[in-house]
Amino acid sequence: MPQPPSLCYVKREARALFTPETMPRLAYVTRTLPEDQGRPRILHAHQDLAEILLICGGSGHYLIGETFYDVKAGDLLLYNSGVVHDEFSSADDAIFSYCAAIAGLRLPGLRENAFTADGAPALFHAGEAEDMRLLLDMMYRYLLEDRPGCETLCHHLMLALLGRILHLIGDARDRAETEPRTLGRQVQAFIDGHFREPLTLQDMGRALHVSPYYLSHAFKEASGYSPTQYLLRRRIGEAQNLLISTDLPMAKIAEQVGFETQNYFNVQFSKHVGMPPGKYRESFVGRRKP
């Protein structure tokens, strides 16, 4: 097998991915190790951020929008802003992953903070993906250690990562969903838009002009959840967002995400996340800079 040359020239003019007016911004980077599975992220969405999730180890079952994906090492998941997602790590093969959140992402032909057309596949197979893992790991470590100039360095690492990802997904960004919404998708969209309000199965049925029984059956078949299970997880996932990103008191968070009492919020949060909301907040806030 011939040896590769020791000198490689740049053969073409480099093309900028973004202009100064369309330059995205790195918001944060997270790393999830197998031992972190005690802090699962429940159903949630980010209205002003797009996210990149690289699976580096383990396996699991992820809901993105209305689609479930089985994931494993080497898979890349792209979350458009506003798209609800949920994650389930395998009990005996816990996920190891990196996540980068991007603000102000503007790609040709797409809405702001979107990697693909809404409804297009969100899962891409990146193979061993060692280059992407290294880029994400460098960003995570520089930000964690707060090295001088880390913001500028991480910005350029983000651009390198985005270039790699855009090359990987190719023309998949242009694929749009053409099939009409099923009843299951209509139910999901309704819950996502009204989960902060008092909401019963009867309310959903009246709004969508179907019987509660038929609505529940259709949604369970489409999503794997009952409507009440999805509603509860959606509220808890939004509470996690508020616990991490705000200093709002627990009672206010419970109220904002649709729980009638703080006590019921505490009980359900602990049941689904594995720890009370105060401890969950401390596990993230303790990592923030003062």
Side-chain angles (χ1 to χ4, degrees):
M1 185 174 181
Q3 287 290 103
S6 57
L7 175 63
C8 294
Y9 287 97
V10 176
K11 299 178 180 179
R12 289 172 292 275
E13 189 76 19
R15 292 188 297 174
L17 291 173
F18 304 98
T19 67
E21 293 75 24
T22 63
M23 189 63 66
R25 178 179 62 84
L26 179 67
Y28 58 77
V29 180
T30 66
R31 181 184 67 181
T32 300
L33 300 174
E35 54 265 33
D36 294 328
Q37 299 307 314
R39 298 182 306 165
R41 289 303 311 272
I42 308 298
L43 272 170
H44 67 287
H46 304 284
Q47 298 305 319
D48 55 356
L49 295 171
E51 287 187 314
I52 299 160
L53 182 71
L54 180 66
I55 307 297
C56 301
S59 60
H61 198 52
Y62 281 56
L63 172 68
I64 306 174
E66 300 103 358
T67 305
F68 276 104
Y69 298 94
D70 292 315
V71 304
K72 60 185 184 306
D75 284 345
L76 179 73
L77 300 171
L78 300 177
Y79 302 148
N80 291 346
S81 65
V83 174
V84 177
H85 45 283
D86 206 353
E87 54 195 57
F88 306 88
S89 183
S90 172
D92 54 359
D93 191 20
I95 290 287
F96 165 35
S97 65
Y98 286 92
C99 176
I102 312 294
L105 180 67
R106 299 177 183 88
L107 297 174
L110 297 172
R111 65 175 176 84
E112 186 170 354
N113 293 320
F115 286 102
T116 61
D118 290 320
L123 173 65
F124 301 87
H125 302 292
E128 294 183 1
E130 184 64 14
D131 53 350
M132 286 192 281
R133 188 193 69 79
L134 287 173
L135 289 168
L136 285 159
D137 186 66
M138 283 191 287
M139 286 189 281
Y140 172 79
R141 292 185 184 278
Y142 291 152
L143 293 172
L144 179 68
E145 297 168 12
D146 197 21
R147 300 184 185 187
C150 66
E151 294 84 1
T152 300
L153 181 57
C154 287
H155 173 76
H156 291 290
L157 292 172
M158 173 200 69
L159 293 179
L161 178 64
L162 287 173
R164 175 73 170 85
I165 289 171
L166 296 180
H167 178 75
L168 175 69
I169 66 178
D171 62 355
R173 298 194 310 272
D174 300 324
R175 282 182 287 176
E177 182 182 33
T178 56
E179 63 185 71
R181 277 188 169 179
T182 63
L183 176 59
R185 292 178 178 179
Q186 292 176 28
V187 175
Q188 181 177 359
F190 183 80
I191 296 175
D192 288 340
H194 298 273
F195 69 89
R196 295 178 178 85
E197 307 165 14
L199 197 58
T200 66
L201 199 58
Q202 288 70 29
D203 294 330
M204 300 178 208
R206 281 193 295 270
L208 297 174
H209 309 290
V210 295
S211 74
Y213 173 81
Y214 181 62
L215 179 147
S216 182
H217 175 76
F219 187 72
K220 177 76 172 179
E221 185 175 345
S223 71
Y225 300 105
S226 71
T228 52
Q229 287 173 329
Y230 184 89
L231 174 62
L232 182 58
R233 292 183 68 85
R234 187 70 179 89
R235 287 171 170 168
I236 292 172
E238 186 63 22
Q240 288 179 307
N241 280 344
L242 294 174
L243 287 165
I244 294 169
S245 61
T246 76
D247 295 319
L248 288 172
M250 299 300 169
K252 190 65 176 177
I253 289 177
E255 177 187 349
Q256 282 199 8
V257 301
F259 286 98
E260 293 184 2
T261 67
Q262 182 183 344
N263 183 60
Y264 183 60
F265 165 60
N266 291 341
V267 169
Q268 292 300 322
F269 191 98
S270 299
K271 176 181 177 181
H272 285 79
V273 180
M275 64 181 73
K279 185 175 180 181
Y280 182 84
R281 169 178 269 170
E282 288 173 7
S283 70
F284 281 90
V285 172
R287 301 183 183 186
R288 292 182 188 168
K289 293 186 293 185

